[in-house]
Amino acid sequence: MADELELLRRANPVPSDDPRFHDRPLDRRAEHRLRVLTRAGSPRPDRPRHAPRLGRLLDGVRPPRPRHWALSLGAAAAVGLAVLTLTLSGPATVPAVAAPRPLVVRPGSTPLPLDRLADLAAASDDTLRLRQGTHVQTWSLSMTSGPGARPPVTLPEERVVRWAADGSHTELVVATDPRHPGRPVVTDADPVPRTVEDGHVLSRQTYPPSWSDAPPRAQPPQDAARLRAYLDEIDRNDAMDTDELLSAMGELLDNWTLGSRETAALARVLAGTPGLRPAGAVTDRLGRPGQAYVYDDAARSVRRMLILDPATGAVLGLEDTVTRADPEFGLEAGSVMSYRAWLR
């Protein structure tokens, strides 16, 4: 820590009170000092190198990434200093950088009723096949309460689970946030949240062969009525409400990548779900166009937004936001509690 701080003090490409820091390009001397700082701060050969991004570790599973913008040198310096602040300061500086904003429905867009979407899903191309395993990008809120509690921290992770023919499977989890490719990522792998390099491997495990005939390990059916019973068995409650059905759906998608027929059956189940209302068009966190369906859980003060592909009915994402502030945990109304984006 002391070495990095001293490096910043000596380099000081733009003092914090210099008006050029905010809205003007760096002068020649500042550019030179920034280049020196960049070279001096590069990893030494004896430092451990983290693994590359998850998409480079597994062929064919790289998620779609958002657009990249070209940064001016001044903007790049500002981003670099922001990342250094995140890395060198305490965990109290982390939430402002890591927390995502709630998704916003496109104003003026026409909501697509769920029964109509279910019809489109049933009529869509029948080429995608069911596959055991999942590829999911998640953002989840880590919270503490009581004296000395730290502010909430959003933890972005990417997970790929693949099953082999012998019943064994592998799980790879990395810290990465597709909203900010290449930037450090917050993780709570240690007792105190810290930042790691984009693509840092959090865990890589191989599990021995195992089989189960109970959901969600059992193969999901292609019929809507049977799939509803399958989700009931995941939930294990006598009367599954809308909130519980969405949770059971998430558990299903965390174990299986649905084919076209299973997707159509799930869309039909969702079409018969009370309280799940169409809200309009939305772009999910991976830049994919979707239709949003919202369920307000007044008992839990949570708003759940389900994002579906308008052409195929495939589930793209599920976002949970709090609708009421909770000072005990440092939560504001509208904070994103969790978000999951599923990919093929």
Side-chain angles (χ1 to χ4, degrees):
M1 180 69 73
D3 291 343
E4 283 84 353
L5 289 174
E6 182 58 29
L7 182 64
L8 287 174
R9 293 190 188 100
R10 286 190 287 104
N12 192 22
V14 183
S16 60
D17 57 353
D18 192 318
R20 292 171 298 176
F21 178 77
H22 297 286
D23 55 8
R24 296 183 184 179
L26 303 179
D27 61 20
R28 186 173 302 174
R29 177 181 177 278
E31 290 181 3
H32 171 70
R33 297 301 296 164
L34 183 60
R35 285 195 295 270
V36 172
L37 171 63
T38 304
R39 287 198 299 271
S42 59
R44 296 194 301 266
D46 58 336
R47 289 183 180 175
R49 288 192 171 274
H50 296 298
R53 184 184 304 279
L54 180 56
R56 298 174 185 169
L57 297 177
L58 295 173
D59 292 335
V61 298
R62 179 186 293 277
R65 299 295 183 187
R67 295 190 302 269
H68 293 255
W69 288 274
L71 297 177
S72 67
L73 184 57
V79 170
L81 289 175
V83 171
L84 286 169
T85 300
L86 174 64
T87 305
L88 301 179
S89 301
T93 63
V94 172
V97 178
R101 296 177 180 272
L103 293 180
V104 177
V105 174
R106 191 179 310 144
S109 60
T110 302
L112 180 63
L114 267 169
D115 55 354
R116 173 58 181 155
L117 186 139
D119 292 340
L120 294 173
S124 65
D125 189 11
D126 188 22
T127 58
L128 297 179
R129 294 291 175 256
L130 178 71
R131 184 176 70 229
Q132 191 170 19
T134 189
H135 182 188
V136 60
Q137 179 79 42
T138 64
W139 290 260
S140 58
L141 201 62
S142 173
M143 299 177 292
T144 57
S145 63
R150 54 172 168 76
V153 178
T154 302
L155 311 170
E157 296 179 359
E158 188 171 353
R159 181 166 61 96
V160 169
V161 178
R162 291 289 180 259
W163 285 75
D166 65 355
S168 64
H169 68 281
T170 60
E171 180 183 68
L172 177 65
V173 183
V174 303
T176 185
D177 190 341
R179 300 172 306 149
H180 309 295
R183 286 176 54 179
V185 182
V186 181
T187 178
D188 67 347
D190 297 324
V192 177
R194 63 187 180 94
T195 55
V196 296
E197 290 183 12
D198 177 42
H200 175 72
V201 175
L202 298 175
S203 67
R204 187 203 309 261
Q205 295 182 334
T206 299
Y207 297 89
S210 64
W211 292 268
S212 173
D213 59 358
R217 288 290 180 85
Q219 181 171 321
Q222 299 177 348
D223 172 78
R226 291 170 56 215
L227 182 58
R228 170 70 193 217
Y230 179 101
L231 295 173
D232 275 330
E233 192 170 346
I234 291 178
D235 180 67
R236 298 183 180 88
N237 283 332
D238 293 336
M240 183 170 59
D241 61 20
T242 299
D243 174 66
E244 292 164 340
L245 184 143
L246 292 175
S247 296
M249 176 208 71
E251 193 167 346
L252 164 65
L253 297 176
D254 282 343
N255 284 270
W256 294 87
T257 300
L258 302 186
S260 301
R261 294 183 179 180
E262 293 82 12
T263 293
L266 180 58
R268 188 62 65 190
V269 170
L270 293 170
T273 303
L276 193 58
R277 55 182 176 84
V282 69
T283 300
D284 83 343
R285 298 196 187 282
L286 301 183
R288 301 172 295 183
Q291 279 283 326
Y293 300 88
V294 174
Y295 173 71
D296 290 308
D297 187 347
R300 297 172 55 231
S301 299
V302 171
R303 180 175 184 256
R304 312 199 76 177
M305 178 186 286
L306 176 68
I307 299 100
L308 303 179
D309 186 312
T312 66
V315 178
L316 301 180
L318 181 64
E319 176 181 84
D320 290 354
T321 58
V322 294
T323 57
R324 185 176 59 189
D326 190 340
E328 181 182 358
F329 290 96
L331 283 179
E332 298 179 356
S335 297
V336 177
M337 292 284 293
S338 66
Y339 185 87
R340 281 183 284 179
W342 289 277
L343 306 97
R344 282 203 68 85

